[in-house]
């Protein structure tokens, strides 16, 4: 084996003990190797001693940038300085018109949630259009003004309105999608997807990006978007690369919610009855047993109500799992590169 | 004390600021030796902004410094491309120093020899000799196998020896 190629690694103590011993023995026997070893040591030492030591500047600026980047600015700080009073007046007029329309915009929002996946509501389209216009101008997001109640990021709070429709007998399916896309660059696709999510008032609930530093990576995201915006979102997400897998699920939650509601009601009644018996009982051990039973009934009711709330939120916000793969992902070669 | 990222999600901003205070100097110097002092502050800032976004994904498979330098490596490459910076022109050796006569190797000759190296070879020389990183750490930062790091260092030193024209017959140690 060529000992010359391992001279530098010998100096750097990066050889295995066995190999280091072999190379050291070879060096002791060969005067040329000794000379080369000495030269390498001299050059390395010179580089270390003579290297420039730049004086760091800009730490405070970086800390300020990190602080500013910590959370997005409130919307009033995002209004461009050049925005005129006329534009603001126009926005205010539109907002007023939306508020004054008697429930007209709420019904399409609910209809959209119950409609076929292929359709898009007028309100949602208007929201999307407004959002696109805002992006092109860099202005304040008007989609907040246009967005239907169901499109609020605060899903549980908004769910009540939708569930009013549910109790009236409307079938409101929960929708979910799984998409796997092959992209050129994970980082670019991630940025685009996060931007889309922001535009549509959605949230990224989970993000898992692997091997970002090597560029050979994959990423998985769990995203919640308003159900009315699901179609537009999926359309734009699929444009980030070539679609490898695409799965769409639609579940009618009505039977499960009804069952859960019955269970919650029964447990409420049960807890009340146990409480009354407990109050009448004069035996301590019996009181303790009844207290435990009552607690179990209340826990069971709370679980049912929690599950109902989750299901309600699924009507409002659809879950989308997006998996991104790079075309380099399959080409990871663990074998060391021999080339210099 | 070394801050541990990823442990407190809500304390992210606090942690990244802590990391910046702890590692800014190392990152800045690393960038300055790659793309020059004029752009180093920008590269260092971009490094920490990227780290801020990626902090939750840091798994602790490498040291924090190695992780940050890996990001800095990518930021430097990006800035090199966008601002058309030639890494070979970045001074690595303190040429202005007065003690030239006291060393075996001439400072300017060493700077010229380093400038003649390919970018890949110069990278590993800087990372190992100046930054003091191990072969394993370099392999993580640059994204190449350890064997390639070893090979590149060997060839880089071969080229340096040729450029410096140090002959084996020349007397050694007399000026040291």
């Amino acid at each position: 084996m060529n000992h010359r190629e391992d001279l530098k690694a010998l100096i750097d103590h990066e050889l295995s003990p066995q190999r280091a011993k072999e190379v050291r023995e070879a060096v002791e026997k060969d005067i040329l190797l000794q000379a080369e070893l000495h030269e390498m040591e001299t050059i390395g030492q010179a580089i270390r001693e003579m290297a420039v030591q730049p004086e760091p500047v800009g730490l405070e600026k970086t800390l300020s940038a990190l602080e500013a980047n910590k959370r997005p600015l409130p919307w009033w700080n995002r209004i461009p300085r050049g925005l005129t009073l006329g534009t603001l007046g126009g926005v205010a007029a539109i907002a007023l018109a939306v508020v004054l329309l008697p429930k007209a915009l709420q019904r399409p929002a609910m209809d959209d949630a119950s409609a076929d996946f292929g359709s898009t509501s007028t309100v949602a389209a208007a929201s999307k259009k407004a959002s696109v216009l805002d992006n092109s101008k860099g202005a304040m997001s008007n989609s907040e003004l246009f967005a239907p109640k169901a499109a609020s990021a605060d899903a549980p709070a908004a769910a009540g309105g939708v569930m009013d429709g549910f109790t009236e007998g409307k079938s409101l399916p929960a929708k979910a999608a799984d998409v796997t896309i092959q992209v050129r660059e994970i980082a670019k696709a991630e940025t685009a997807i996060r931007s889309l999510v922001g535009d549509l008032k959605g949230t990224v609930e989970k993000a898992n990006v692997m091997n970002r530093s090597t560029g050979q990576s994959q990423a998985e995201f769990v995203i919640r978007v308003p159900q009315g915006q699901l179609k537009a979102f999926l359309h734009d997400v699929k444009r980030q690369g070539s679609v490898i897998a695409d799965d769409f699920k639609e579940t009618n939650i009505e039977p499960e919610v009804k069952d859960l509601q019955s269970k919650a009601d029964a447990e409420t009644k049960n807890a009340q009855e146990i409480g009354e018996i407990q109050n009448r009982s004069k035996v301590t051990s019996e009181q303790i047993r009844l207290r435990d039973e009552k607690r179990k009934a209340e826990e069971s009711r709370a679980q049912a109500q929690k599950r109902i709330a989750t299901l309600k939120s699924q009507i409002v916000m659809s879950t989308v799992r997006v998996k991104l793969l790079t075309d380099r992902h399959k080409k990871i070669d663990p074998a060391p590169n021999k080339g210099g | 004390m070394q801050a541990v990222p990823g442990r407190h999600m809500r304390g992210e901003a606090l942690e990244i600021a802590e990391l910046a205070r702890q590692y800014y100097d190392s990152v800045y110097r690393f960038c300055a030796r790659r793309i020059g002092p004029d752009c180093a502050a920008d590269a260092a800032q971009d490094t920490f902004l990227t780290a801020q976004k990626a902090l939750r994904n840091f798994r602790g498979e490498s040291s924090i410094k190695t992780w940050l330098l890996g990001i800095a490596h990518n930021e430097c490459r990006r800035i090199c491309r966008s601002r058309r910076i030639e890494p070979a022109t970045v001074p690595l050796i303190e040429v202005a120093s007065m003690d030239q006569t006291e060393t075996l190797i001439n400072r300017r000759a060493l700077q010229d020899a380093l400038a003649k190296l390919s970018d890949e070879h110069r990278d590993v020389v800087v990372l190992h000799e100046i930054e003091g990183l191990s072969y394993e750490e370099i392999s993580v930062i640059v994204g190449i196998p350890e064997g390639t790091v070893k090979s590149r260092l060997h060839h880089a030193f071969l080229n340096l020896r040729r450029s410096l024209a140090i002959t084996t017959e020349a007397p050694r140690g007399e000026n040291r």
Side-chain angles (χ1 to χ4, degrees), chain A residues 267 271 292-305:
Chain A
E267 294 291 4
D292 289 345
E293 273 189 27
K294 187 183 172 188
R295 198 189 68 236
K296 280 179 188 170
E298 283 170 346
E299 282 174 0
S300 179
R301 182 194 62 191
Q303 278 180 359
Q305 285 175 336

Side-chain angles (χ1 to χ4, degrees), chain A residues 1-15 19 31-32 34-71 190-191 194 204-205 207-216 221 333-340, chain B residues 13-14 16-18 20-21 24-26 28-29 32-33 37 41-42 44-45 48-50 52-54 57 59 61 67 70-71 74 91-95 103-107 110 114 118 120-121 125 128-130 133-136 140-141 143 145-148 150-155 157-158 160-161 164 166-169 172-173 176:
Chain A
M1 192 178 280
N2 189 351
H3 296 108
R4 184 165 278 109
E5 288 185 1
D6 282 343
L7 286 179
K8 179 63 184 145
L10 179 73
I11 297 167
D12 297 334
H13 306 288
E14 293 278 359
L15 291 178
R19 180 63 184 156
I31 193 165
L32 283 176
Q34 287 173 25
E36 284 185 30
L37 190 78
H38 185 76
E39 283 172 13
M40 284 183 172
E41 283 175 336
T42 307
I43 293 170
Q45 191 182 351
I47 292 172
R48 286 190 293 276
E49 286 176 357
M50 300 177 189
V52 288
Q53 294 296 335
E55 194 58 39
V57 290
L59 172 61
E60 291 307 317
K61 200 177 158 191
T62 297
L63 290 173
S64 303
L66 290 170
E67 181 65 25
N69 205 36
K70 192 169 65 177
R71 64 178 78 88
E190 182 186 351
T191 307
R194 283 185 185 275
V204 178
E205 299 217 325
N208 188 13
V209 182
M210 284 155 274
N211 296 332
R212 193 193 289 268
S213 62
T214 59
Q216 295 164 331
F221 304 94
D333 181 10
N337 185 359
K338 297 281 181 188
Chain B
L14 179 70
I16 192 69
E18 187 61 34
R21 285 191 190 91
Y24 185 85
D25 289 4
S26 302
Y28 177 89
R29 288 199 177 100
R33 287 167 185 143
D42 289 346
Q45 181 172 315
F48 285 102
L49 288 172
T50 305
Q52 185 179 32
K53 290 178 194 164
N57 298 321
R59 294 177 177 184
E61 288 169 356
W67 179 65
I71 298 171
N74 290 333
L92 292 170
I93 298 300
E94 202 77 62
V95 180
T103 54
L104 179 67
I105 298 173
N106 181 281
R107 286 172 180 270
L110 184 57
L114 285 166
S118 68
E120 288 83 7
H121 286 175
V125 170
H128 183 67
E129 301 300 338
I130 303 178
L133 299 170
S134 69
Y135 287 12
E136 187 187 359
V140 172
I141 290 168
E146 268 188 69
T148 309
K150 183 180 144 194
S151 169
R152 282 187 185 178
L153 267 173
H154 166 75
H155 285 98
F157 269 73
L158 210 62
L160 285 173
R161 284 175 57 220
L164 291 166
I166 300 174
T167 59
T168 50
E169 290 79 20
R172 293 185 191 88
R176 296 173 71 197

Side-chain angles (χ1 to χ4, degrees), chain A residues 120-297:
Chain A
T120 309
S121 76
T122 314
V123 178
S127 172
K128 174 75 177 167
K129 192 175 177 184
S131 182
V132 170
L133 281 169
D134 289 344
N135 286 342
S136 64
K137 291 176 185 173
M140 180 188 75
S141 172
N142 284 347
S143 55
E144 281 183 46
L145 303 172
F146 279 102
K149 194 176 177 183
S152 162
D154 188 5
V162 177
M163 286 310 292
D164 290 345
F166 172 76
T167 50
E168 285 166 16
K170 275 183 178 287
S171 171
L172 297 175
K175 295 173 182 175
D178 280 299
V179 189
T180 304
I181 305 167
Q182 191 170 44
V183 295
R184 283 191 177 178
E185 283 185 41
I186 295 283
K188 274 189 183 176
E190 182 186 351
T191 307
I193 289 170
R194 283 185 185 275
S195 171
L196 281 171
V197 173
D199 288 347
L200 298 178
K201 305 290 174 200
T203 53
V204 178
E205 299 217 325
K206 286 181 188 172
N208 188 13
V209 182
M210 284 155 274
N211 296 332
R212 193 193 289 268
S213 62
T214 59
Q216 295 164 331
S217 53
Q218 62 173 338
E220 287 180 21
F221 304 94
V222 177
I223 293 161
R224 303 290 304 277
V225 289
Q227 196 174 94
Q229 312 281 21
L230 181 61
K231 183 190 169 191
F233 177 70
L234 286 173
H235 176 261
D236 286 348
V237 164
K238 287 173 188 173
R239 288 174 61 187
Q240 302 304 320
S242 42
V243 178
I244 296 173
D246 183 7
D247 187 27
F248 177 74
K249 287 176 195 163
E250 189 171 310
T251 316
N252 185 10
I253 64 161
E254 184 182 358
E256 191 177 352
V257 170
K258 276 186 175 176
D259 285 349
L260 288 165
Q261 194 59 57
S262 304
K263 188 181 175 185
D265 291 345
E267 294 291 4
T268 307
K269 200 176 173 183
N270 192 20
Q272 281 175 352
E273 287 173 2
I274 294 171
E276 286 168 9
I277 298 168
Q278 188 187 3
N279 290 338
R280 286 199 297 269
S281 174
K282 291 177 181 175
V283 182
T284 310
S285 60
E286 182 69 3
Q287 279 183 344
I288 292 170
R289 189 183 65 78
L290 289 168
R291 189 189 63 192
D292 289 345
E293 273 189 27
K294 187 183 172 188
R295 198 189 68 236
K296 280 179 188 170

